[in-house]
Structure formats: C-alpha cells, structure tokens
Amino acid sequence: MSVSSRLILPAVSALLLACAAPALAQDAPARQSTAFTLETDNPRSPEQEAVRFDHADLTIKVLPDDKAIDGVAVLDFTVLAPIQRLSVELDTLYTISEIRLDGEVVPTDRWSNPEGRVTVEVPAGLAEGATPTLTIAYAGQPRVAPRAPWNGGFVWSTAPTGEAWVGSAMQLNGCDLLWPCIDNSNAEPGVVDLHVVTPGDVSAPGNGVFQGMTENADGTKTWSWRAEHPNIYAININVGPYEEVTAPYESRFGNTIPMYFWHLKSDDPAKVARLFAEFAPMLDFFESTIGPYPFANEKMGVVETPYLGMEHQTINAYGNAYKLDGHGYDTLLQHEFSHEWFANQLTNRNADHMWLHEGLGTYMQPLYARFLHGERYMQAELKDQRAGLANRFAVVSRTDRTVNQVYGGTEGPGGDIYNKGSLIAHTLRMTIGDEDFFEVLRTLVYGRPDPRPGNFTTQIRDTADMNAIVNEVTGRNYDWFFDAYLYQAALPILSQTREGDQLTLAWTVGGDGPFPMPVEIEVDGEPQTVAMTDGQATITVPADAQILLDPENKLLRQLDFIDQFHGSMREQREAAAAQRAARSAS
C-alpha cells in the first residue's frame, strides 16, 4: 500500500480527530514517564520475541504552542510463533484514544498500558505466519528532555527569527518517548514511513528519503519520509525554519550520494558553507577506511537542532553552533556521522555492547585527524583520550543491560565506552596490523569483507561476534585480548625488573590464563620486540642500558603517572567539596 493511500484511510483520519482533544487538555494532573519507559533495551516480552516488526507508518502532528503531539501509528508484524497477544512500548504520558487490530476496534478491556508496555489481548490467537496490523491513536504532551541528548525527550525552542524550533532525542530513554515501538535493539522495524504535520511556516526534515510535502486545508503542512531498517532510537522529529543546502557526492564505489544540510535561515552563510564543505571529506574518509556509506540509496543528512547532537539515521542532529576547537574539523559532526556505521549499520545486540557504537565511533576521530593532518594529530587525540579513563567497571559485563545501566557509571562503564573503547581498538590494530584490523571492521559492520553498494544489509552484533571475527581473520586465538581489555575493569599492568644484565618483563591482568601481548622496547635507543608467550619474558641487556617500554605508545596499559594525576584531581575535588560544606554550615 502506498504512503498516500494509507494517509487517507477513513479509520486513520478518524483516529487523528479522536486523539486531538487529549493533547490540548490543561487540567490533567502532572505525570511523569515511568521508570520502565525511561530505560531502553529492556528485555522483550515473549510475544515481542515471537514477531518480526515489518513496517511502521507514523503520522505525527506537532503542536508547538501546546508542546504536544497527536499521533497515529500503523504497525505491521509477521508472527513467527503462535501468540495470544501483541505488545509494544509507549510512554504513559500519552493518552491512547483507540486501538485497532486489523481495522477492528479493540475493546478497552482487552488492552492496557500500566507502565509503558501496551499489551493487546487476542483471544482467538495469532498463528505462525499471520500478518497482523496494530493501529494506535495517541496524543499528549511528550516528555520534555531535562538535558538533551543525554537525558532525552522533546526540546521545544524558538528560532532566532521567531518560528517554532523543535527536536527530539531519545537514545538513552528509547523510541517509546515518541511512538509505539518495541524498545529493544533486536526489534528494528524493516521500514518506517514518517509523516510529520507542522505549522505552515516551518519544515520537517526526516529520516530516509523524502516522499513529498502536502499543504493541508487548515494551513498546516505534512512532510513525508521513508527509512529502511532504522535503529530503534533513530526516528526523530525536527521542526524549524530551515533552509536546505545540497550537493551530490561521487563515491569511490561508483555511486552518487545526495548530501543535505538543513540549517536555520538566520545562520551566517559563511559558517554554513564552511561546515557543509566538511561533508565530502568525511564521507571519503569513512568510505576509504571502513567501506561504503550504508544508506547511499537514501541520503547523507544533517539537521541543525536546539540541542547538541545525536546519530539519527541519515538525519544526524547537529547543535554545535559551528564552533572551532583546534582539531581542524567539527568533532561533534564527525562523531555523530561515525554512527552511521557504528550504531545504524552495525547495531549492538544489547546495550552491554554499546562500546561497539561509542568506542569504535570514537576511534574514528584520531584516525580522521591522521587522515587530515598526519600522525602527530592522531597521537595527540589518543593522548587526550587516555587521560580520562575511570576503569571502575568492565566495558562489557557479559550480562544484558539497559542503556542507562551502561552509561550511568554507577554500575556500568559510563564514559569508558567512548575513550577506553577507542584505545582498545587502537591497541587491537597495533597488535594484529592494519590489514587484518580493517578487514575485521568491514566484516563486523557489513557482514562480509568485500562490501559494495547493494551487497550488504544492516547487522546486529555483540562483542563475542567481534572476537570470533578477529580469530577468523587472523587465524589466531585472541580470546585473551578480549578477556583482558573488555571483560576486566583494571588495565593490564606491565612490570619490569632488572638484575645485572637480565631484564624481566611481566604482564599482570585480571581473569584466567596468560596475556601473551608482545612488547616493543628500546634499549639505548635501539628498538626490539619482546615475545611474551606466557605473559612474561627475560632478555639480556647491558647492565647500564636505558630501557623505554612501548616507545610508540601502542598498548593500552596501567601507567603510574596517570593514576597519580587522577588521585591528585580527586583530592582537589574532595577538598573543594569539604570547603563548600564548611561554608554552608557556617
């Protein structure tokens, strides 16, 4: 069924009218999103695991004056095993006015949404192979993001020229803040059609391919988009007084990729031009380093947002205000764009493996610095990344986690998924070599080592998958590497002892088994590599020789001077806190 025909179905039109009133209600008591809703990657229910999510057709009317939305979601599934109910997640802040199953109204006593998981009972059951359509009409004031994008929801703002400027960002809290979805990484919909209804003086850039704009009788406009295999938190709302900059990019793979930048019409044209000029070099870097842009048949898109940024598939949010920071490229733009490969094309199987998004994406920044400016600038970025590691929790716990459990830092790795993940990737590259490393990344990201436009699809992966790919590509067992770096909190310790002309090097790591990481050293300036087959080795050196371990800083390891620096900074913070407490008490 085409996009336009679904929009004019009488049932959908009626549902839009039915759900309009609750959005405007002003006398309802203030409510909060449930704890369940504010987590993402919660375990799926049995009935969610028993369906394939084929298609979502979403019509969302944005009401800036009321900070509200009216929505109708038409959700198509294929049943993989017999079930008695259907369920999706949706924030309880919304009022559901009606639910239909295959066009028939579902009585209110056969559905519920007590904490953010809408469950629809199907007494007759759904057999394997059935293709039910669930339609949900909902409306209300969505969660306002306390601190987008880290604490998500909607951002209701006003552009400098006075028009509404609205954005949504939901990575850490889930798609259910915006639309009825299965809020789990394993439940990406096959296709999403998104129709955003806006006031007439603004536009709504969206995910995927533009399907057209309709001017409505009430003065509003409907902007329609279609995206294939979107990440669960990738579908988002962007509304504002945008101007469009576009140009074609001629890929090294022989295809042409349309590039788009939607910016506020009040922006400085020189700054707009400078940022847009970065698009093509970034594309060339990623295509030459990793492989084909995954969504070339849709677009490479960026939209200016009233919050810092987020990796929304083919429409990355950018709110960095064109800042220059001395890196020679816009670091926010480049990081979010890296997620087209590491988040959108490659999606982690569970949030416990979020370092595959953030760590590998972060490693693209020092690599890009070298691509643009040379080795010194790559090393400078790696040095900055090394300074901030916490090492309190393992990067990967090997238990399923929600996103906030991973990012929060009180029980998970927090910021270490970024910089520590990047440095682990660098150490792996230095260990197995460039040829094998980049073949590993291509196989991980595309499912094959020889990606070309049209010969791959999106991948759902975890850390064990990457470990297996490393072993297969190299022909050697690198389980010890993953055990030490990903599954242990503490960094490997490299110690040296000298007795006369005997130098002994030894690794100490958590977990079981040896850590046979070879070590490069300099002996009076002369380089050599020490094999550490059992995690230690003794070699003969001149008794008075100067020894430098790992002279090119290839290996992520514990370093006393960094630990001492962290201890000093911690003491300063504690002293400052004590002084503030003393002043408050006086």
Side-chain angles (χ1 to χ4, degrees):
M1 188 177 291
S2 70
V3 174
S4 57
S5 63
R6 298 195 78 148
L7 274 175
I8 61 174
L9 282 173
V12 172
S13 300
L15 288 174
L16 273 172
L17 291 173
C19 70
L24 302 178
Q26 302 295 317
D27 55 354
R31 294 180 294 162
Q32 300 293 323
S33 301
T34 67
F36 176 83
T37 292
L38 293 180
E39 287 287 9
T40 186
D41 248 358
N42 283 306
R44 287 178 292 172
S45 66
E47 57 269 16
Q48 289 176 334
E49 292 185 336
V51 298
R52 183 181 69 233
F53 194 175
D54 297 321
H55 184 211
D57 191 300
L58 311 175
T59 301
I60 297 174
K61 186 174 185 179
V62 180
L63 304 166
D65 290 344
D66 301 298
K67 298 183 178 179
I69 66 172
D70 291 343
V72 174
V74 183
L75 313 176
D76 296 328
F77 303 95
T78 296
V79 177
L80 307 178
I83 51 177
Q84 297 293 127
R85 60 185 62 85
L86 289 168
S87 68
V88 293
E89 276 75 63
L90 182 65
D91 195 343
T92 58
L93 292 185
Y94 297 114
T95 298
I96 297 175
S97 59
E98 190 171 84
I99 294 180
R100 298 187 181 211
L101 178 61
D102 294 330
E104 298 295 325
V105 174
V106 178
T108 56
D109 62 354
R110 278 181 32 209
W111 64 264
S112 62
N113 187 26
E115 60 172 344
R117 176 169 281 169
V118 180
T119 300
V120 179
E121 300 293 337
V122 187
L126 292 166
E128 180 180 350
T131 55
T133 296
L134 188 67
T135 302
I136 300 177
Y138 64 102
Q141 293 181 317
R143 184 179 196 246
V144 174
R147 185 172 174 255
W150 302 277
N151 199 343
F154 269 68
V155 178
W156 304 93
S157 185
T158 303
T161 47
E163 300 91 344
W165 189 21
V166 183
S168 65
M170 300 162 294
Q171 180 194 17
L172 300 191
N173 305 105
C175 49
D176 47 344
L177 294 186
L178 173 61
W179 60 285
C181 60
I182 299 177
D183 190 18
N184 183 283
S185 299
N186 297 278
E188 293 183 354
V191 177
V192 172
D193 284 304
L194 176 65
H195 318 284
V196 183
V197 183
T198 71
D201 59 348
V202 291
S203 60
N207 307 90
V209 178
F210 186 48
Q211 303 293 297
M213 183 272 287
T214 302
E215 296 187 5
N216 304 313
D218 62 357
T220 63
K221 296 178 179 178
T222 300
W223 309 81
S224 296
W225 300 86
R226 167 168 282 203
E228 296 184 3
H229 302 291
N231 193 324
I232 58 167
Y233 59 81
I235 299 299
N236 72 318
I237 297 296
N238 307 287
V239 169
Y242 291 117
E243 291 184 348
E244 177 186 290
V245 180
T246 185
Y249 170 77
E250 300 302 327
S251 166
R252 61 178 54 235
F253 292 96
N255 56 324
T256 300
I257 302 169
M259 301 184 299
Y260 290 91
F261 178 33
W262 287 274
H263 64 89
L264 294 181
K265 63 184 182 182
S266 56
D267 288 352
D268 180 345
K271 292 181 178 179
V272 171
R274 187 186 71 213
L275 190 74
F276 190 66
E278 293 192 31
F279 285 25
M282 283 197 311
L283 265 167
D284 189 46
F285 162 74
F286 280 101
E287 290 207 318
S288 62
T289 303
I290 309 300
Y293 177 61
F295 309 104
N297 61 331
E298 297 183 356
K299 68 176 180 300
M300 181 261 188
V302 176
V303 61
E304 189 173 3
T305 53
Y307 58 90
L308 186 59
M310 182 51 63
E311 61 267 22
H312 298 130
Q313 191 166 308
T314 74
I315 187 72
N316 281 293
Y318 174 81
N320 205 31
Y322 306 99
K323 293 175 184 174
L324 299 176
D325 59 11
H327 287 262
Y329 63 95
D330 192 294
T331 52
L332 188 281
L333 178 69
Q334 201 269 358
H335 178 78
E336 302 305 342
F337 187 53
S338 74
H339 286 307
E340 296 285 26
W341 283 262
F342 305 104
N344 299 334
Q345 167 61 26
L346 157 69
T347 301
N348 59 38
R349 198 177 307 278
N350 174 263
D352 192 44
H353 307 278
M354 187 62 75
W355 83 279
L356 296 174
H357 294 193
E358 302 295 8
L360 296 178
T362 299
Y363 187 46
M364 295 301 107
Q365 296 211 298
L367 290 181
Y368 190 48
R370 190 185 191 284
F371 178 85
L372 292 175
H373 309 300
E375 186 74 17
R376 176 179 295 179
Y377 291 88
M378 180 184 79
Q379 294 297 338
E381 295 211 15
L382 290 169
K383 174 182 176 293
D384 289 344
Q385 291 178 2
R386 178 64 182 86
L389 307 189
N391 302 311
R392 293 181 59 209
F393 299 97
V395 173
V396 179
S397 71
R398 291 191 275 198
T399 58
D400 283 354
R401 297 282 186 94
T402 63
V403 170
N404 281 302
Q405 286 175 327
V406 173
Y407 276 87
T410 58
E411 56 182 312
D416 277 0
I417 61 177
Y418 292 83
N419 289 343
K420 189 173 182 179
S422 170
L423 293 164
I424 290 169
H426 182 68
T427 300
L428 179 63
R429 176 179 158 228
M430 295 297 99
T431 302
I432 67 176
D434 280 11
E435 182 177 354
D436 284 351
F437 177 76
F438 289 110
E439 182 176 339
V440 165
L441 287 192
R442 287 193 300 273
T443 305
L444 182 73
V445 168
Y446 299 100
R448 57 190 302 164
D450 59 343
R452 293 292 182 272
N455 75 351
F456 58 86
T457 188
T458 52
Q459 303 292 309
I460 295 179
R461 300 287 203 178
D462 60 24
T463 306
D465 292 330
M466 185 175 182
N467 189 349
I469 292 169
V470 169
N471 292 352
E472 180 180 356
V473 169
T474 62
R476 302 174 67 181
N477 189 325
Y478 279 94
D479 294 1
W480 56 269
F481 181 98
F482 284 79
D483 184 66
Y485 280 116
L486 277 307
Y487 305 138
Q488 312 294 328
L491 293 176
I493 299 171
L494 179 61
S495 60
Q496 61 172 316
T497 56
R498 297 179 69 172
E499 293 185 8
D501 61 356
Q502 299 296 293
L503 169 66
T504 298
L505 303 178
W507 285 109
T508 301
V509 297
D512 300 323
F515 184 68
M517 175 70 80
V519 178
E520 293 181 2
I521 68 171
E522 284 184 3
V523 180
D524 284 336
E526 292 296 322
Q528 61 178 281
T529 300
V530 180
M532 305 280 285
T533 306
D534 296 318
Q536 62 179 6
T538 299
I539 62 172
T540 301
V541 299
D544 58 352
Q546 180 179 351
I547 305 297
L548 178 61
L549 304 181
D550 190 22
E552 296 184 10
N553 298 290
K554 294 180 177 180
L555 307 179
L556 177 59
R557 59 192 176 96
Q558 182 271 339
L559 295 169
D560 288 340
F561 74 92
I562 291 182
D563 289 350
Q564 291 164 2
F565 168 73
H566 285 168
S568 174
M569 295 299 294
R570 183 169 55 252
E571 290 174 0
Q572 292 179 39
R573 290 193 299 270
E574 291 172 352
Q579 290 176 0
R580 288 193 298 270
R583 286 195 298 268
S584 299
S586 62

